[in-house]
Amino acid sequence: MKLVREITKWTDCPYPVKNHDYLVSNGMEFCHGMRKQGSDKWEKFSSRRRFNGAWRKFEALNEKLPKEFVEPFMSNPWDNKGYNSLEAYM
């Protein structure tokens, strides 16, 4: 496992894109967690996810692997009145 930081320059994109830090397998084919830009907390995924680094640039981080993780934030779609509910039409 290793830690990498995305350093891609998104100059052709019409909106701002943030670059995050990732906890990936040594071959960079799977991602196990991430740290969002501007945060110091690592989020661990419930299962590994395929990681595609094509068209992106990364640099290795000289940090120890994280031992503490927070749960990834996922809003509950049923709490959202605009998502597939009768409350959206009332």
Side-chain angles (χ1 to χ4, degrees), residues 29-75:
E29 62 268 355
F30 295 105
C31 184
H32 298 272
M34 70 178 290
R35 177 173 58 188
K36 294 179 181 173
Q37 183 178 3
S39 175
D40 60 345
K41 299 183 189 299
W42 283 92
E43 300 175 4
K44 186 175 183 180
F45 303 136
S46 58
S47 63
R48 66 184 189 175
R49 298 181 181 174
R50 279 266 183 221
F51 189 75
N52 185 355
W55 306 101
R56 297 158 61 185
K57 295 180 182 175
F58 299 91
E59 66 181 9
L61 294 176
N62 293 327
E63 298 178 16
K64 292 184 179 181
L65 293 177
K67 297 188 186 286
E68 293 184 21
F69 296 91
V70 296
E71 291 291 322
F73 175 75
M74 296 181 65
S75 60

Side-chain angles (χ1 to χ4, degrees), residues 1 6 8 13 24 28-29 32-33 46 50 67 71 77-78:
M1 300 273 259
E6 185 169 4
T8 307
C13 192
V24 295
M28 290 186 64
E29 62 268 355
H32 298 272
S46 58
R50 279 266 183 221
K67 297 188 186 286
E71 291 291 322
W78 300 109

Side-chain angles (χ1 to χ4, degrees), residues 10 13-19 37:
W10 301 98
C13 192
Y15 52 88
V17 178
K18 294 183 177 183
N19 290 333
Q37 183 178 3

